Amino acid sequence: MIKRQDIEAREYEMLSPLASKAAESRGRVFPEEQCTFRTDYQRDRDRIIHSKAFRRLINKTQVFLAPEDDHYRTRLTHTLEVAQISRTVARILQYNEDLTEAIALGHDLGHTPFGHSGETVLNAIHPGGFAHNEQSLRTVDRIEDTSRRRGLNLTYEVRDGILNHRGPGIPFTLEGQIVKICDRIAYVNHDIDDAIRSGIISMDDLPENDIAILGSTHSDRINNLITDLCINSEGKKEIALSPDFSRALLSLRSFMFANVYNSPEVQAVTDKEKVDLIIRSLYGYFLDHPDEIPGVYKEIEKEDGTNVAVKDWISGMTDRYALRLYDRLFVPQSWR
Protein backbone atom coordinates (compact mmCIF):
# COMPACT_ATOMS: atom_id res chain seq x y z
CA MET A 1 0.00 0.00 0.00
CA ILE A 2 1.41 3.37 -1.06
CA LYS A 3 0.64 6.34 1.16
CA ARG A 4 1.03 10.05 0.66
CA GLN A 5 4.35 10.19 2.48
CA ASP A 6 5.71 7.46 0.18
CA ILE A 7 4.75 9.47 -2.93
CA GLU A 8 6.24 12.63 -1.45
CA ALA A 9 9.49 10.78 -0.68
CA ARG A 10 9.64 9.35 -4.21
CA GLU A 11 9.32 12.86 -5.65
CA TYR A 12 12.68 13.78 -4.08
CA GLU A 13 14.22 10.64 -5.58
CA MET A 14 12.73 10.87 -9.08
CA LEU A 15 12.09 14.52 -9.86
CA SER A 16 14.48 17.27 -10.87
CA PRO A 17 15.85 19.47 -8.07
CA LEU A 18 14.02 22.30 -9.86
CA ALA A 19 10.65 20.53 -9.68
CA SER A 20 7.90 21.53 -7.26
CA LYS A 21 7.58 18.99 -4.47
CA ALA A 22 4.19 18.34 -2.94
CA ALA A 23 5.71 18.23 0.55
CA GLU A 24 6.97 21.80 0.02
CA SER A 25 3.70 23.29 -1.16
CA ARG A 26 2.87 26.74 0.18
CA GLY A 27 -0.38 25.18 1.29
CA ARG A 28 -3.99 26.33 1.10
CA VAL A 29 -5.81 29.47 2.13
CA PHE A 30 -7.75 27.38 4.65
CA PRO A 31 -5.54 24.72 6.25
CA GLU A 32 -6.82 21.15 5.95
CA GLU A 33 -5.86 17.77 7.28
CA GLN A 34 -3.86 16.02 4.57
CA CYS A 35 -5.09 12.92 2.76
CA THR A 36 -3.71 9.54 3.78
CA PHE A 37 -3.00 8.45 0.22
CA ARG A 38 -2.96 11.48 -2.13
CA THR A 39 -0.59 14.41 -2.23
CA ASP A 40 -2.05 17.92 -2.11
CA TYR A 41 -1.56 18.33 -5.87
CA GLN A 42 -3.34 15.05 -6.56
CA ARG A 43 -6.23 16.19 -4.40
CA ASP A 44 -6.41 19.47 -6.32
CA ARG A 45 -6.56 17.60 -9.63
CA ASP A 46 -9.36 15.40 -8.34
CA ARG A 47 -11.36 18.34 -6.99
CA ILE A 48 -11.17 20.05 -10.37
CA ILE A 49 -12.23 16.95 -12.31
CA HIS A 50 -15.22 16.43 -10.02
CA SER A 51 -16.32 20.07 -10.19
CA LYS A 52 -19.46 21.21 -11.99
CA ALA A 53 -17.47 23.83 -13.89
CA PHE A 54 -15.25 21.12 -15.38
CA ARG A 55 -18.25 19.11 -16.56
CA ARG A 56 -19.73 22.17 -18.24
CA LEU A 57 -16.67 22.58 -20.47
CA ILE A 58 -18.03 19.86 -22.75
CA ASN A 59 -20.72 22.24 -23.99
CA LYS A 60 -18.63 25.40 -24.29
CA THR A 61 -17.33 26.62 -27.65
CA GLN A 62 -13.64 26.49 -28.50
CA VAL A 63 -13.75 28.23 -31.91
CA PHE A 64 -16.71 26.91 -33.88
CA LEU A 65 -20.15 27.53 -32.41
CA ALA A 66 -22.54 24.53 -32.41
CA PRO A 67 -20.72 22.64 -35.19
CA GLU A 68 -22.52 19.79 -36.92
CA ASP A 69 -19.34 17.74 -37.25
CA ASP A 70 -18.68 15.64 -34.13
CA HIS A 71 -14.91 16.09 -34.36
CA TYR A 72 -14.51 19.81 -33.67
CA ARG A 73 -12.89 20.70 -30.37
CA THR A 74 -14.87 21.95 -27.42
CA ARG A 75 -13.47 23.74 -24.41
CA LEU A 76 -13.27 20.35 -22.65
CA THR A 77 -11.31 18.57 -25.38
CA HIS A 78 -8.99 21.59 -25.59
CA THR A 79 -8.40 21.28 -21.84
CA LEU A 80 -7.61 17.58 -22.14
CA GLU A 81 -5.15 18.21 -24.97
CA VAL A 82 -3.40 20.89 -22.92
CA ALA A 83 -3.19 18.47 -19.98
CA GLN A 84 -1.75 15.70 -22.17
CA ILE A 85 0.92 17.88 -23.77
CA SER A 86 1.80 19.48 -20.44
CA ARG A 87 2.15 16.14 -18.67
CA THR A 88 4.39 14.82 -21.44
CA VAL A 89 6.71 17.81 -21.06
CA ALA A 90 6.70 17.53 -17.27
CA ARG A 91 7.53 13.84 -17.45
CA ILE A 92 10.44 14.37 -19.85
CA LEU A 93 11.90 17.19 -17.75
CA GLN A 94 11.21 15.30 -14.50
CA TYR A 95 8.93 17.97 -13.10
CA ASN A 96 5.78 17.37 -11.07
CA GLU A 97 3.15 15.80 -13.34
CA ASP A 98 0.40 16.00 -10.74
CA LEU A 99 0.83 19.74 -10.28
CA THR A 100 1.09 20.26 -14.03
CA GLU A 101 -2.07 18.26 -14.67
CA ALA A 102 -4.06 20.08 -11.99
CA ILE A 103 -3.18 23.49 -13.45
CA ALA A 104 -3.94 22.36 -17.00
CA LEU A 105 -7.32 20.87 -16.07
CA GLY A 106 -8.35 24.03 -14.22
CA HIS A 107 -6.95 26.72 -16.51
CA ASP A 108 -10.12 27.37 -18.55
CA LEU A 109 -12.87 26.78 -15.97
CA GLY A 110 -13.83 30.46 -16.13
CA HIS A 111 -14.42 30.59 -19.87
CA THR A 112 -17.70 32.09 -21.03
CA PRO A 113 -20.28 30.48 -23.30
CA PHE A 114 -19.64 31.04 -27.04
CA GLY A 115 -15.87 31.07 -26.68
CA HIS A 116 -13.89 34.27 -27.08
CA SER A 117 -16.89 36.00 -28.65
CA GLY A 118 -18.74 35.64 -25.35
CA GLU A 119 -15.68 36.80 -23.42
CA THR A 120 -15.40 39.91 -25.60
CA VAL A 121 -19.02 40.89 -24.93
CA LEU A 122 -18.81 40.30 -21.18
CA ASN A 123 -15.56 42.26 -21.04
CA ALA A 124 -17.30 45.19 -22.75
CA ILE A 125 -20.42 45.32 -20.56
CA HIS A 126 -19.20 44.29 -17.11
CA PRO A 127 -17.77 47.11 -14.94
CA GLY A 128 -14.06 46.44 -14.54
CA GLY A 129 -13.99 44.14 -17.56
CA PHE A 130 -13.68 40.38 -17.78
CA ALA A 131 -10.73 38.02 -18.30
CA HIS A 132 -11.25 34.27 -18.34
CA ASN A 133 -8.03 33.48 -16.47
CA GLU A 134 -9.14 35.68 -13.57
CA GLN A 135 -12.59 34.10 -13.72
CA SER A 136 -11.05 30.62 -13.69
CA LEU A 137 -9.34 31.47 -10.40
CA ARG A 138 -12.56 32.98 -9.08
CA THR A 139 -14.42 29.82 -10.07
CA VAL A 140 -12.21 27.58 -7.95
CA ASP A 141 -11.93 30.12 -5.12
CA ARG A 142 -15.49 31.38 -4.74
CA ILE A 143 -18.07 29.71 -6.98
CA GLU A 144 -17.40 25.97 -6.85
CA ASP A 145 -17.76 24.25 -3.53
CA THR A 146 -16.86 21.18 -1.54
CA SER A 147 -18.84 19.54 1.21
CA ARG A 148 -16.96 21.73 3.70
CA ARG A 149 -16.98 25.24 2.24
CA ARG A 150 -17.52 27.40 -0.79
CA GLY A 151 -14.46 27.28 -3.01
CA LEU A 152 -12.25 24.28 -3.75
CA ASN A 153 -9.48 25.58 -1.49
CA LEU A 154 -6.72 24.60 -3.91
CA THR A 155 -3.02 24.98 -3.22
CA TYR A 156 -1.26 28.26 -3.99
CA GLU A 157 0.78 26.60 -6.74
CA VAL A 158 -2.29 25.43 -8.66
CA ARG A 159 -4.11 28.74 -8.17
CA ASP A 160 -1.08 30.70 -9.39
CA GLY A 161 -0.77 28.50 -12.48
CA ILE A 162 -4.45 28.94 -13.33
CA LEU A 163 -4.32 32.73 -12.94
CA ASN A 164 -1.11 33.20 -14.91
CA HIS A 165 -1.71 30.75 -17.76
CA ARG A 166 -2.28 33.78 -20.00
CA GLY A 167 -1.32 37.43 -19.92
CA PRO A 168 1.92 39.02 -18.73
CA GLY A 169 2.11 37.16 -15.43
CA ILE A 170 4.66 34.33 -15.14
CA PRO A 171 3.76 31.36 -12.90
CA PHE A 172 6.20 30.98 -10.03
CA THR A 173 6.45 27.21 -10.60
CA LEU A 174 8.07 25.64 -13.64
CA GLU A 175 5.02 23.39 -13.87
CA GLY A 176 2.82 26.45 -14.28
CA GLN A 177 5.17 27.78 -16.96
CA ILE A 178 4.86 24.47 -18.80
CA VAL A 179 1.07 24.80 -18.92
CA LYS A 180 1.28 28.42 -20.09
CA ILE A 181 3.32 27.44 -23.17
CA CYS A 182 1.54 24.13 -23.80
CA ASP A 183 -1.82 25.90 -23.83
CA ARG A 184 -0.61 27.91 -26.84
CA ILE A 185 0.95 24.84 -28.47
CA ALA A 186 -2.35 23.01 -28.11
CA TYR A 187 -4.79 25.65 -29.32
CA VAL A 188 -2.76 26.90 -32.27
CA ASN A 189 -2.34 23.38 -33.61
CA HIS A 190 -5.77 21.94 -32.90
CA ASP A 191 -7.44 25.09 -34.21
CA ILE A 192 -5.50 24.62 -37.45
CA ASP A 193 -6.84 21.08 -37.59
CA ASP A 194 -10.44 22.28 -37.06
CA ALA A 195 -10.06 25.15 -39.53
CA ILE A 196 -8.81 22.79 -42.24
CA ARG A 197 -11.67 20.38 -41.48
CA SER A 198 -14.15 23.24 -41.86
CA GLY A 199 -12.69 24.30 -45.21
CA ILE A 200 -11.80 27.82 -44.03
CA ILE A 201 -8.12 27.20 -44.78
CA SER A 202 -6.09 24.44 -46.40
CA MET A 203 -2.64 23.09 -45.66
CA ASP A 204 -1.33 25.09 -48.61
CA ASP A 205 -2.42 28.32 -46.90
CA LEU A 206 -0.17 27.83 -43.86
CA PRO A 207 3.01 29.99 -43.83
CA GLU A 208 5.76 27.97 -45.51
CA ASN A 209 8.60 29.25 -43.33
CA ASP A 210 6.76 28.37 -40.10
CA ILE A 211 5.74 24.94 -41.34
CA ALA A 212 9.31 24.22 -42.45
CA ILE A 213 10.41 24.74 -38.84
CA LEU A 214 7.47 23.25 -36.94
CA GLY A 215 6.39 20.40 -39.21
CA SER A 216 3.93 19.68 -41.99
CA THR A 217 1.42 17.56 -40.02
CA HIS A 218 -0.45 18.07 -36.76
CA SER A 219 1.40 15.24 -35.01
CA ASP A 220 4.79 16.40 -36.33
CA ARG A 221 4.22 19.93 -35.05
CA ILE A 222 3.17 18.76 -31.60
CA ASN A 223 6.11 16.36 -31.37
CA ASN A 224 8.64 18.90 -32.64
CA LEU A 225 7.40 21.63 -30.31
CA ILE A 226 7.53 19.30 -27.30
CA THR A 227 11.04 18.18 -28.26
CA ASP A 228 12.29 21.73 -28.72
CA LEU A 229 10.65 22.93 -25.50
CA CYS A 230 12.23 20.14 -23.47
CA ILE A 231 15.71 20.45 -24.99
CA ASN A 232 15.72 24.24 -24.63
CA SER A 233 14.39 24.19 -21.03
CA GLU A 234 16.36 21.32 -19.51
CA GLY A 235 18.10 22.35 -16.31
CA LYS A 236 16.97 25.98 -16.60
CA LYS A 237 14.82 28.03 -14.26
CA GLU A 238 12.61 29.12 -17.13
CA ILE A 239 10.46 27.09 -19.52
CA ALA A 240 10.82 28.41 -23.05
CA LEU A 241 10.98 27.38 -26.69
CA SER A 242 14.12 28.09 -28.68
CA PRO A 243 14.09 31.46 -30.51
CA ASP A 244 13.37 29.87 -33.92
CA PHE A 245 10.49 27.72 -32.64
CA SER A 246 9.09 30.56 -30.56
CA ARG A 247 9.05 32.92 -33.55
CA ALA A 248 7.47 30.26 -35.78
CA LEU A 249 4.72 29.46 -33.26
CA LEU A 250 3.93 33.15 -32.70
CA SER A 251 3.87 33.70 -36.46
CA LEU A 252 1.50 30.78 -36.91
CA ARG A 253 -0.68 32.18 -34.13
CA SER A 254 -0.80 35.55 -35.91
CA PHE A 255 -1.78 33.76 -39.12
CA MET A 256 -4.65 32.06 -37.27
CA PHE A 257 -5.95 35.36 -35.90
CA ALA A 258 -5.86 36.97 -39.33
CA ASN A 259 -7.22 34.06 -41.33
CA VAL A 260 -9.36 32.05 -38.91
CA TYR A 261 -10.34 33.63 -35.60
CA ASN A 262 -11.15 37.01 -37.15
CA SER A 263 -12.05 35.78 -40.64
CA PRO A 264 -15.47 36.61 -42.14
CA GLU A 265 -16.19 32.88 -42.45
CA VAL A 266 -15.71 32.19 -38.74
CA GLN A 267 -17.50 35.41 -37.79
CA ALA A 268 -20.46 34.21 -39.85
CA VAL A 269 -20.42 30.78 -38.22
CA THR A 270 -20.09 32.14 -34.69
CA ASP A 271 -22.65 34.90 -35.45
CA LYS A 272 -21.09 37.53 -33.19
CA GLU A 273 -24.17 39.74 -33.40
CA LYS A 274 -26.31 36.92 -32.01
CA VAL A 275 -23.78 36.21 -29.25
CA ASP A 276 -23.70 39.92 -28.40
CA LEU A 277 -27.49 40.04 -28.21
CA ILE A 278 -27.76 36.94 -26.01
CA ILE A 279 -25.05 37.93 -23.50
CA ARG A 280 -26.18 41.56 -23.24
CA SER A 281 -29.85 40.58 -22.90
CA LEU A 282 -29.19 38.02 -20.17
CA TYR A 283 -26.85 40.36 -18.31
CA GLY A 284 -29.36 43.20 -18.38
CA TYR A 285 -32.29 40.99 -17.44
CA PHE A 286 -30.69 39.55 -14.32
CA LEU A 287 -29.39 42.94 -13.21
CA ASP A 288 -33.05 43.94 -13.15
CA HIS A 289 -34.25 40.62 -11.69
CA PRO A 290 -31.54 39.50 -9.23
CA ASP A 291 -34.14 37.52 -7.30
CA GLU A 292 -34.13 35.01 -10.18
CA ILE A 293 -30.44 34.05 -9.99
CA PRO A 294 -29.56 30.70 -8.30
CA GLY A 295 -28.78 30.40 -4.62
CA VAL A 296 -24.96 30.41 -4.66
CA TYR A 297 -25.00 33.61 -6.71
CA LYS A 298 -27.40 35.22 -4.26
CA GLU A 299 -24.70 34.77 -1.63
CA ILE A 300 -22.15 36.35 -3.98
CA GLU A 301 -24.55 39.25 -4.59
CA LYS A 302 -24.64 40.00 -0.88
CA GLU A 303 -20.84 40.00 -0.69
CA ASP A 304 -19.76 41.49 -4.03
CA GLY A 305 -22.81 43.15 -5.58
CA THR A 306 -25.35 42.32 -8.27
CA ASN A 307 -23.05 42.98 -11.24
CA VAL A 308 -20.48 40.47 -10.01
CA ALA A 309 -23.10 37.83 -9.21
CA VAL A 310 -24.67 38.16 -12.65
CA LYS A 311 -21.26 38.08 -14.34
CA ASP A 312 -20.32 34.95 -12.40
CA TRP A 313 -23.53 33.17 -13.37
CA ILE A 314 -23.49 34.08 -17.06
CA SER A 315 -19.80 33.28 -17.50
CA GLY A 316 -20.41 29.80 -16.12
CA MET A 317 -23.23 28.97 -18.52
CA THR A 318 -22.81 26.51 -21.38
CA ASP A 319 -23.68 27.58 -24.91
CA ARG A 320 -26.90 25.59 -24.99
CA TYR A 321 -28.04 26.68 -21.54
CA ALA A 322 -27.56 30.35 -22.46
CA LEU A 323 -29.50 29.78 -25.70
CA ARG A 324 -32.34 28.01 -23.91
CA LEU A 325 -32.52 30.68 -21.22
CA TYR A 326 -32.58 33.48 -23.79
CA ASP A 327 -35.30 31.65 -25.71
CA ARG A 328 -37.42 31.26 -22.56
CA LEU A 329 -37.02 34.86 -21.45
CA PHE A 330 -37.17 36.79 -24.72
CA VAL A 331 -38.76 34.74 -27.50
CA PRO A 332 -42.59 34.72 -27.51
CA GLN A 333 -43.94 31.20 -27.17
CA SER A 334 -45.97 31.59 -30.38
CA TRP A 335 -42.69 32.14 -32.32
CA ARG A 336 -41.02 28.93 -31.18
Side-chain angles (χ1 to χ4, degrees):
M1 180 180 295
I2 299 175
K3 295 188 176 182
R4 171 179 51 80
Q5 292 93 332
D6 300 320
I7 300 172
E8 291 174 344
R10 287 183 182 181
E11 288 183 351
Y12 287 98
E13 297 172 1
M14 299 178 64
L15 299 185
S16 163
L18 298 174
S20 300
K21 312 300 192 301
E24 298 176 8
S25 170
R26 297 186 185 182
R28 307 178 187 278
V29 175
F30 303 102
E32 296 181 14
E33 183 179 348
Q34 290 185 294
C35 179
T36 302
F37 301 105
R38 294 172 296 163
T39 69
D40 285 347
Y41 299 148
Q42 291 172 337
R43 280 183 100 182
D44 285 359
R45 173 202 60 205
D46 296 347
R47 289 180 182 183
I48 290 168
I49 289 176
H50 288 279
S51 69
K52 296 183 288 296
F54 185 78
R55 294 195 293 275
R56 290 196 299 270
L57 294 177
I58 194 171
N59 288 309
K60 290 194 175 190
T61 290
Q62 173 63 21
V63 174
F64 296 95
L65 177 63
E68 294 183 3
D69 190 304
D70 290 336
H71 298 131
Y72 288 102
R73 270 75 172 187
T74 66
R75 190 61 56 181
L76 178 61
T77 56
H78 160 72
T79 295
L80 295 176
E81 291 186 36
V82 174
Q84 178 271 314
I85 296 171
S86 299
R87 283 197 62 172
T88 298
V89 172
R91 185 181 304 120
I92 294 170
L93 292 175
Q94 294 178 280
Y95 293 147
N96 198 308
E97 287 185 55
D98 295 323
L99 173 57
T100 306
E101 184 178 31
I103 295 169
L105 292 175
H107 82 281
D108 268 357
L109 293 179
H111 243 296
T112 61
F114 313 118
H116 289 287
S117 295
E119 181 173 13
T120 298
V121 178
L122 208 49
N123 181 56
I125 63 177
H126 179 67
F130 179 90
H132 78 263
N133 58 314
E134 295 174 1
Q135 190 66 24
S136 293
L137 180 61
R138 183 171 174 82
T139 298
V140 299
D141 277 356
R142 300 286 303 280
I143 301 171
E144 281 292 328
D145 56 26
T146 65
S147 58
R148 297 181 181 181
R149 62 172 63 87
R150 180 140 52 90
L152 299 182
N153 197 30
L154 304 181
T155 58
Y156 282 99
E157 292 80 6
V158 172
R159 295 173 61 250
D160 168 77
I162 289 173
L163 176 64
N164 292 304
H165 83 268
R166 69 182 292 268
I170 304 299
F172 67 75
T173 67
L174 293 175
E175 289 81 2
Q177 293 180 33
I178 287 172
V179 174
K180 189 180 182 80
I181 295 179
C182 290
D183 179 35
R184 179 172 293 175
I185 291 173
Y187 77 69
V188 168
N189 284 287
H190 66 50
D191 289 351
I192 288 174
D193 190 42
D194 283 353
I196 291 174
R197 178 176 290 107
S198 73
I200 291 174
I201 60 172
S202 69
M203 274 297 302
D204 293 337
D205 295 323
L206 298 176
E208 291 184 8
N209 291 340
D210 302 332
I211 295 305
I213 294 171
L214 301 179
S216 59
T217 69
H218 177 79
S219 59
D220 283 347
R221 287 190 294 275
I222 297 293
N223 183 71
N224 292 338
L225 281 159
I226 289 174
T227 300
D228 181 83
L229 183 63
C230 292
I231 291 174
N232 194 63
S233 303
E234 184 179 16
K236 299 178 182 177
K237 295 183 179 180
E238 178 186 12
I239 304 297
L241 292 164
S242 68
D244 285 347
F245 271 73
S246 180
R247 280 193 297 269
L249 183 62
L250 288 173
S251 174
L252 203 53
R253 179 176 179 268
S254 297
F255 167 85
M256 290 297 290
F257 270 95
N259 296 276
V260 178
Y261 304 138
N262 296 324
S263 71
E265 293 86 353
V266 170
Q267 299 306 317
V269 171
T270 55
D271 200 345
K272 291 186 72 172
E273 291 184 3
K274 185 175 181 180
V275 170
D276 189 278
L277 175 64
I278 291 171
I279 298 294
R280 286 179 182 274
S281 298
L282 292 176
Y283 190 88
Y285 179 87
F286 289 107
L287 282 182
D288 294 335
H289 302 84
D291 55 305
E292 296 185 29
I293 63 178
V296 63
Y297 301 102
K298 284 186 170 65
E299 296 178 32
I300 290 173
E301 182 190 14
K302 295 176 183 176
E303 299 167 0
D304 301 323
T306 303
N307 285 89
V308 174
V310 172
K311 176 265 296 181
D312 285 348
W313 189 31
I314 291 176
S315 67
M317 293 178 183
T318 62
D319 297 12
R320 64 184 184 184
Y321 183 83
L323 286 166
R324 284 201 306 264
L325 190 57
Y326 176 86
D327 186 65
R328 179 171 66 81
L329 293 174
F330 298 103
V331 179
Q333 192 164 3
S334 59
W335 294 7
R336 299 174 192 171

